[in-house]
């Protein structure tokens, strides 16, 4: 029985592109792997405290840090909803990372997270894709890919629903068709990746 650790960090429970796509991923996961387990944390509804000196010094001996590290180590796959806020990830997700990453405990070549497939739904209001004017301001995918591979040796993959503000900003109206295409692709990618992962882990 495989375990999926699912983290959402979008502020709003309704109308969030990242939440909609992670929910679609989980739905397909459950359909394909009904015996699997889903461990869920809503980091916006129940935010973690910022890492302080006491927790940093305690490492895995700290109750919360130990719990989060154990939860991560026990996961066969991880799903993270990571919308772009102010060019970066939500502070609630950063707090989870700061607690869950414990140097000398779960990092390095012998990390219990090494090889774990981590799927990140990196939604954003505009486009930061290669060749776009804001390509150099893409700090979500670059940051998370670097962090999760270098610290854990995890297998990181991204689903990127972009231009999510096209319907609400008149100046982006001409981008609505591209936004719809990106949204449709995100849901397709979520279903395909969830199905492939469930099949792979059930084997």
């Amino acid at each position: 029985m495989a375990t999926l650790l699912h983290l959402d960090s979008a502020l709003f429970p309704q109308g969030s592109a990242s939440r909609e796509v992670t929910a679609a991923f989980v739905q397909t996961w459950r359909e394909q792997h009904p015996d699997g387990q889903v461990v869920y944390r809503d980091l916006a509804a129940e935010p973690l405290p910022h890492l302080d000196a006491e927790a940093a010094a305690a490492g895995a001996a700290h109750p919360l840090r130990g719990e989060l590290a154990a939860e991560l180590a026990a996961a066969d796959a991880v799903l993270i909803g990571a919308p772009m806020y102010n060019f970066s990830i939500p502070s609630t997700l950063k707090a989870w990372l700061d607690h869950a990453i414990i140097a000398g405990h779960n990092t390095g070549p012998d990390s219990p997270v090494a090889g774990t497939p981590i799927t990140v739904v990196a939604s954003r209001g505009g486009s930061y894709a290669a060749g776009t004017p804001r390509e150099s301001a893409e700090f979500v995918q670059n940051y998370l890919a670097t962090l999760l591979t270098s610290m854990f040796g995890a297998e990181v993959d991204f689903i990127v629903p972009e231009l999510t503000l096209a319907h609400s900003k008149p100046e982006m109206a001409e981008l609505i068709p591209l936004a719809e295409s990106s949204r449709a692709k995100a849901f397709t990618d979520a279903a395909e990746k969830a199905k492939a992962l469930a099949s792979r882990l059930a084997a």
Side-chain angles (χ1 to χ4, degrees):
M1 180 178 72
T3 297
L4 174 70
L5 174 60
H6 172 197
L7 310 172
D8 272 329
S9 61
L11 284 173
F12 301 104
Q14 304 296 328
S16 160
S18 67
R19 285 181 182 271
E20 290 174 350
V21 175
T22 60
F25 184 106
V26 172
Q27 180 180 343
T28 300
W29 167 277
R30 292 186 187 277
E31 291 170 352
Q32 298 294 320
H33 194 37
D35 294 329
Q37 180 182 9
V38 178
V39 176
Y40 181 59
R41 281 188 179 270
D42 188 332
L43 300 175
E46 297 183 29
L48 302 170
H50 287 289
L51 184 68
D52 58 21
E54 179 183 354
H62 186 270
L64 176 59
R65 300 193 74 193
E67 176 186 351
L68 296 174
E71 207 168 71
L72 178 59
D76 298 289
V78 181
L79 173 66
I80 302 175
M84 178 184 280
Y85 292 161
N86 297 321
F87 300 107
S88 187
I89 63 173
S91 61
T92 52
L93 178 54
K94 181 61 165 62
W96 179 85
L97 289 165
D98 288 342
H99 281 288
I101 298 172
I102 306 175
H105 176 72
N106 62 1
T107 60
D110 297 322
S111 170
V113 190
T116 300
I118 299 179
T119 304
V120 180
V121 179
S123 60
R124 61 277 312 274
S127 178
Y128 298 77
T132 63
R134 287 192 166 185
E135 176 184 358
S136 64
E138 204 302 299
F139 302 119
V140 173
Q141 285 177 265
N142 289 334
Y143 168 65
L144 289 176
T146 301
L147 179 73
L148 297 171
T149 55
S150 64
M151 298 300 281
F152 293 137
E155 176 189 311
V156 186
D157 196 14
F158 289 91
I159 298 172
V160 186
E162 60 180 12
L163 300 169
T164 62
L165 291 177
H167 287 280
S168 59
K169 288 188 173 292
E171 63 270 27
M172 294 178 67
E174 64 181 17
L175 299 174
I176 288 177
L178 289 176
E180 290 294 333
S181 176
S182 178
R183 174 183 169 83
K185 183 178 186 304
F187 281 107
T188 298
D189 287 350
E192 290 179 350
K193 292 178 191 298
K195 184 176 181 179
L197 265 180
S199 176
R200 168 179 156 188
L201 294 173

